[in-house]
Amino acid sequence: MNQVPAPHAPPQRTLMGPGPSDVEDAVLQAMARPTLGHLDPLFLELMDEVAAMLRQVMGTENRLTLPMSGTGSAGMETVFANLLQPGDAALVGVNGVFGTRMAEVARRCGAEVVEVKKDWGQAFTPDDFVRAAAGRSFRVLALVHAETSTGVWQDVSGMREAADGCAALLALDTVTSVGGVEVALDAWGVDAAYSGTQKCLSCPPGLAPVTFSARAEKVMQQRTQPVQSWYLDLSLIARYWGGERAYHHTAPINMLYGLHEALRLTLLEGLPARWLRHARNGAALCTGLQALGLELPVAPELRLPQLTVVRIPEGVDDARVRAFLLNEFGLEIGGGLGPMAGNCWRIGLMGAASRRAKVELCLQALQAALADQGHPAA
Ligand SMILES: *Cc1c(COP(=O)(O)O)cnc(C)c1O
């Protein structure tokens, strides 16, 4: 190549898809601060503060709480790779993309996976798992708290008892729920959970908070085979995040500055206030979409305030609408996945994007996009 590209200069978009979400300036500025060494005492202090703030936003006092280097999927791999070994059995709820991914990850860990299936757009009851377990024992019972592919909010109550019924650890995907709706892992009896930074925490993608209960730690200690992934082996990484500060891999220093700031902003707002903000803006968006004549396929009591699925009206071109929103309004929304591809949109109101002004912008932009295609309801 004889010509060097110009510096990359991304425009300011409004990110209202399934993630990444809009990032606050303070978080971007934090990430631009001078890089410290990964064993610098000042960086070690920041790590302790990050872990402490993560415990608060995840509703847990688990000692083993830290952000993995990688996106939400790395958190998913961490949970299954550390808790499962070949020959174990896992009971996994599959009602969307991320339950499907959990089942695939668990299989790749050598586990026998029993999938508990529900239609996309539906939620599980504890009884679904009890029936699927059929009296057998499992190492892990896993499900997704906020299914970003369908916009379904999974109730976790009763799941601890379902897991106890099959002697299983309870694992929960909280990638899209942390910072947007209540997450109370200890109160719910969750043993292992993972999250991501780029959904309701409004930090760029790149870290995956994970937390393991004392009971989950014991299962890790009793493994007869080493964790297949050296990079994701939590017992090694815990020695860096815990007292010893033993080098494992170089922490993504500036990403951690960003997460530190995003967690600070979350806690300064206050968790209940933040959940209420998400609830109000989510409700306002639903009302506005219905006023435009658009249909919301998820039952009202199952709707996530931070992710709304909208049916695309007959005769409206999915890709053309999304291109119109991006080009005319600088607004990104998400397309559908799996059985919802091409027939649904996914609109995210996550973290910094969950603002009344952004709800109004989205409704106005969608109305214009529909009018552009001569859709009568607009
Ligand atoms: C986004 C998401 C993931 C995966 O996270 P990545 O950051 O894309 O790797 C997992 N589970 C849920 C529920 C998600 O929304």
Side-chain angles (χ1 to χ4, degrees):
M1 192 157 84
N2 25 17
Q3 219 183 346
V4 176
H8 183 61
Q12 183 71 58
R13 307 265 203 227
T14 298
L15 300 180
M16 295 177 65
S21 60
D22 283 340
V23 178
E24 305 273 11
D25 285 344
V27 172
L28 293 175
Q29 282 158 14
M31 292 176 70
R33 289 183 190 138
T35 301
L36 289 170
H38 66 282
L39 294 173
D40 189 300
L42 293 175
F43 183 68
L44 300 178
E45 253 173 52
L46 173 131
M47 289 167 65
D48 288 342
E49 290 176 359
V50 165
M53 290 192 285
L54 281 178
R55 290 186 188 98
Q56 287 187 62
V57 298
M58 298 180 92
T60 181
E61 290 180 359
N62 289 340
R63 186 191 72 89
L64 187 48
T65 303
L66 55 84
M68 297 295 288
S69 306
T71 64
S73 304
M76 186 188 290
E77 297 254 20
T78 300
V79 164
F80 291 104
N82 284 274
L83 296 182
L84 295 173
Q85 51 182 2
D88 284 343
L91 191 60
V92 180
V94 176
N95 60 347
V97 163
F98 296 104
T100 305
R101 187 175 297 178
M102 287 199 303
E104 175 63 17
V105 169
R107 271 191 294 272
R108 289 183 185 211
C109 293
E112 179 212 338
V113 175
V114 173
E115 294 186 12
V116 185
K117 290 196 177 160
K118 264 269 153 94
D119 284 344
W120 287 43
Q122 304 289 312
F124 296 103
T125 64
D127 211 41
D128 292 328
F129 289 95
V130 172
R131 262 184 279 120
R136 280 186 60 190
S137 288
F138 290 84
R139 178 72 68 202
V140 175
L141 185 165
L143 72 167
V144 178
H145 187 211
E147 212 354 308
T148 322
S149 62
T150 62
V152 165
W153 191 349
Q154 174 65 52
D155 185 0
V156 185
S157 57
M159 296 301 175
R160 175 70 261 163
E161 290 71 20
D164 285 340
C166 57
L169 296 169
L170 179 60
L172 193 65
D173 176 318
T174 61
V175 175
T176 288
S177 52
V178 167
V181 295
E182 183 179 19
V183 173
L185 298 179
D186 287 358
W188 299 339
V190 174
D191 292 300
Y194 56 91
S195 192
T197 48
Q198 78 275 24
K199 313 270 168 116
C200 297
L201 291 175
S202 272
C203 185
L207 291 170
V210 299
T211 186
F212 279 52
S213 70
R215 178 153 47 170
E217 281 197 63
K218 189 172 273 171
V219 167
M220 282 167 55
Q221 284 155 8
Q222 289 169 347
R223 295 179 67 94
T224 55
Q225 297 172 49
V227 173
Q228 182 279 327
S229 166
W230 177 87
Y231 194 71
L232 301 179
D233 187 333
L234 250 191
S235 54
L236 299 179
I237 295 167
R239 290 171 50 203
Y240 172 56
W241 279 81
E244 274 175 77
R245 305 300 184 181
Y247 165 72
H248 177 262
H249 66 273
T250 311
I253 310 290
N254 292 56
M255 264 314 300
L256 283 153
Y257 296 171
L259 178 58
H260 183 271
E261 186 60 24
L263 290 167
R264 257 176 34 80
L265 294 178
T266 300
L267 293 172
L268 282 173
E269 178 175 9
L271 290 170
R274 194 173 175 95
W275 302 330
L276 187 62
R277 171 163 68 81
H278 280 83
R280 286 192 174 141
N281 290 324
L285 178 67
C286 288
T287 304
L289 290 168
Q290 286 170 320
L292 289 178
L294 296 171
E295 214 184 302
L296 310 179
V298 175
E301 68 279 9
L302 298 181
R303 283 178 201 154
L304 284 167
Q306 66 273 46
L307 197 283
T308 301
V309 172
V310 192
R311 207 182 302 286
I312 300 173
E314 204 68 46
V316 169
D317 183 332
D318 172 20
R320 219 178 109 193
V321 166
R322 285 190 286 135
F324 182 93
L325 296 178
L326 196 64
N327 297 331
E328 303 296 320
F329 290 85
L331 173 68
E332 178 182 284
I333 67 167
L337 290 176
M340 292 175 173
N343 56 57
C344 285
W345 291 309
R346 291 179 301 150
I347 304 178
L349 291 175
M350 299 182 182
S354 179
R355 298 278 169 216
R356 191 57 194 240
K358 299 200 177 183
V359 171
E360 301 300 337
L361 168 73
C362 178
L363 292 169
Q364 217 180 25
L366 257 182
Q367 186 165 25
L370 292 171
D372 179 59
Q373 295 197 25
H375 182 254

